[in-house]
Amino acid sequence: MKIRIGVEIMKILDLRSDTVTQPTPEMREAIASALVGDDVYGDDPTVNELERQAAERLGKEAALFVSSGTMGNLLGVQSQTQRGDEVILGARSHIITHEVGHLAQICQCMGRTIDNPDDRIYPDDIRQAVRPDDIHEPPTTLLCLENALSNGTVVPLELMRQDYAAAKEAGLNVHLDGARLFNAATALGVNAAELAACADSVTFCLSKGLCAPVGSMLCGTKEFIARARRNRKRIGGGLRQAGFLAAAGLIAMNQMSLRLGEDHANAKTLAAMLEELDGVAVAKDQLDINMVFLTLNGLAAPERFVGALKEQGILINGADHGVYRLVTHWGIETADLPRIAAAIDRCRKEL
């Protein structure tokens, strides 16, 4: 996106999230020429192909195209639990903090949260959180993991395997919120299917960093996906000519997932630039993927900082408990990084 200031055209640099990406030119062409049908009837060929390839890519039996990561996680929980069950998950996991309480409101499950400083869940956490077989307590039936984590770090594959083993020993199913699954796989240098093997169901977003305009995938067994498909219809998620969206999703999954290392490198480069500035503190231990977390010292008017950057053509979200998050993605180029660092330095000094 660009705006005109006087006679000068300024490129807008949107660092709020990697959901703000625009479809690539190839995606736009694919959307325009997509073969479509009615997905509720199951005869949209492009959706069917996306679901087939997604399942194959993650080593699962089947997959379901859904409108968002929130819907995918909702269906992942709802299709593996009963009302009144208890679900183990991280205290700052996306399902708990950013999905409008569907765990309680729609799935009607209890949440038993694990609150570790690094936001990871460890095998002993699982063993200690599982409820005993007592009629006074809700049955524990599901563990929800997340990778990459929302704090910008990734969970090692070996820990994922240990958590999965601990869950299975306790008789639990495991759902993996893999919104940025391919970011995690890229950072760890592993295949995404290896991470997906540590869960019975897994979601990944097509519109987070992969540039598709809409959509996420939910993968698992054929039986699980059949239940999820029915539940998707129940909450209004049955789409008709969804192949227009799936066409972009195929490019997102097969091509854009292969370039995520560029975003990770740009985040690290930007972090290094910001570390050189007075009054800027970067969280160096949260640089696994495409996020930079920072705090600013000496701001006399912190409430004006976001607006001041916007005037410089740079968009960020407000601070979360004093911490700002910058997210790199397709559209933020290496050549843009000095401009971002300079604008942050200038606005911090002026405020």
Side-chain angles (χ1 to χ4, degrees):
M1 182 188 300
K2 297 180 179 180
I3 60 172
R4 181 182 296 275
I5 300 179
V7 296
E8 180 184 358
I9 300 296
M10 178 184 292
K11 177 183 177 182
I12 299 298
L13 302 178
D14 194 340
L15 299 164
R16 291 174 299 172
S17 178
D18 47 9
T19 61
V20 302
T21 52
Q22 296 289 306
T24 68
E26 187 175 0
M27 284 181 181
R28 294 175 186 272
E29 292 177 7
I31 291 169
S33 60
L35 296 175
V36 299
D38 189 317
D39 183 47
V40 175
Y41 283 114
D43 62 12
D44 188 303
T46 309
V47 173
N48 292 343
E49 182 62 15
L50 174 61
E51 291 176 344
R52 185 192 70 78
Q53 289 193 30
E56 182 179 294
R57 182 84 178 266
L58 294 194
K60 299 300 184 186
E61 290 182 350
L64 182 68
F65 179 67
V66 295
S67 64
S68 67
T70 295
M71 180 181 284
N73 285 332
L74 187 161
L75 296 175
V77 174
Q78 187 182 40
S79 304
Q80 297 182 95
T81 57
Q82 301 292 325
R83 289 187 303 169
D85 285 359
E86 189 163 74
V87 177
I88 301 171
L89 69 177
R92 283 169 291 280
S93 65
H94 207 274
I95 292 175
I96 281 287
T97 59
H98 289 104
E99 296 188 350
V100 207
H102 67 65
L103 180 70
Q105 186 179 31
I106 301 176
C107 302
Q108 298 186 39
C109 289
M110 298 275 288
R112 189 168 177 87
T113 56
I114 306 299
D115 190 1
N116 288 322
D118 60 4
D119 289 346
R120 294 177 179 179
I121 295 176
Y122 295 89
D124 282 346
D125 296 325
I126 299 166
R127 298 184 187 104
Q128 294 171 16
V130 173
R131 298 280 188 174
D133 185 12
D134 185 320
I135 63 169
H136 299 90
E137 301 185 39
T140 310
T141 58
L142 184 67
L143 167 68
C144 289
L145 298 174
E146 193 171 87
N147 208 3
L149 295 170
S150 59
N151 65 10
T153 68
V154 297
V155 180
L157 177 59
E158 183 55 34
L159 178 55
M160 295 281 293
R161 288 170 171 164
Q162 292 171 8
D163 284 348
Y164 186 65
K168 287 304 168 183
E169 288 171 7
L172 309 182
N173 282 334
V174 179
H175 173 69
L176 173 59
D177 177 358
R180 295 184 176 91
L181 183 70
F182 292 106
N183 290 90
T186 298
L188 291 167
V190 302
N191 192 295
E194 294 180 82
L195 297 174
C198 302
D200 301 293
S201 63
V202 56
T203 59
F204 67 88
C205 285
L206 300 165
S207 60
K208 242 177 203 171
L210 303 185
C211 298
V214 175
S216 289
M217 303 304 299
L218 175 65
C219 305
T221 64
K222 291 180 180 179
E223 181 183 7
F224 162 76
I225 291 299
R227 292 196 303 272
R229 190 178 296 276
R230 182 178 291 272
N231 286 331
R232 185 188 69 171
K233 178 65 175 174
R234 182 175 291 116
I235 60 173
L239 303 176
R240 300 299 179 177
Q241 286 72 44
F244 291 116
L245 301 174
L250 282 164
I251 295 171
M253 181 176 65
N254 292 326
Q255 296 181 28
M256 303 306 287
S257 65
L258 304 179
R259 57 153 305 280
L260 293 173
E262 299 174 27
D263 298 336
H264 297 187
N266 280 338
K268 290 177 174 62
T269 300
L270 178 58
M273 291 178 177
L274 294 172
E275 286 175 5
E276 298 297 318
L277 304 179
D278 291 337
V280 179
V282 174
K284 299 178 184 179
D285 59 348
Q286 294 175 235
L287 287 169
D288 288 348
I289 55 172
N290 59 325
M291 299 178 183
V292 181
F293 293 87
L294 62 123
T295 56
L296 302 174
N297 300 319
L299 276 183
E303 72 280 359
R304 293 171 48 202
F305 182 70
V306 173
L309 274 182
K310 186 175 181 180
E311 292 176 1
Q312 301 294 319
I314 296 172
L315 305 182
I316 68 169
N317 287 321
D320 182 5
H321 297 90
V323 179
Y324 295 93
R325 186 190 74 168
L326 312 181
V327 184
T328 56
H329 49 77
W330 186 77
I332 302 296
E333 302 172 3
T334 304
D336 297 323
L337 304 181
R339 176 183 155 198
I340 296 169
I344 289 174
D345 187 38
R346 182 166 52 253
C347 291
R348 188 199 66 82
K349 290 177 179 177
E350 290 176 352
L351 297 177

